Amino acid sequence: MKKIMYGMLNATGTADVDGNYTEYQFCETGEAEYGREWGGDVIGYVANLDLEDGCEIVEAGSFTIHNKPEGAVIVSTNGEPSEIFWAEEASEEEEV
């Protein structure tokens, strides 16, 4: 069984003269609410979230996320990456 995980992103580095952040890392992670009910469909899960104004799903752009899981979906807030969602296998202990 797959579960959907959630993480907040924290800016860790700048690369341009304007001070725009371009590198991010996880600062808080956990299992997403109702994430096991989506069978690993991360895009479907995030697309059905009630995102606040200014939030949108983004493709990896001109930023780097350290240790980004394969198939992860990124949500930006006002153009800055803020959250990340990905699927991973639940352990046997968690499935009980």
Side-chain angles (χ1 to χ4, degrees):
M1 168 196 295
K2 292 205 177 216
K3 61 182 179 179
I4 296 175
M5 300 295 291
Y6 158 86
M8 297 290 295
L9 294 171
N10 188 27
T12 59
T14 60
D16 67 16
V17 294
D18 295 327
N20 295 319
Y21 290 106
T22 59
E23 295 182 7
Y24 296 82
Q25 69 181 7
F26 300 94
C27 63
E28 179 182 321
T29 63
E31 188 174 333
E33 186 175 21
Y34 307 114
R36 293 181 192 216
E37 298 173 16
W38 284 83
D41 178 11
V42 181
I43 294 172
Y45 179 85
V46 175
N48 280 283
L49 290 174
D50 186 19
L51 297 175
E52 297 178 15
D53 289 341
C55 293
E56 63 183 350
I57 299 170
V58 295
E59 297 291 327
S62 60
F63 53 86
T64 300
I65 298 173
H66 298 287
N67 300 320
K68 179 181 154 195
E70 187 176 330
V73 174
I74 302 159
V75 173
S76 72
T77 303
N78 298 319
E80 294 292 324
S82 58
E83 301 170 298
I84 186 167
F85 295 83
W86 70 96
E88 68 180 45
E89 289 292 332
S91 69
E92 289 182 24
E93 294 171 350
E94 292 177 315
E95 290 183 16
V96 175

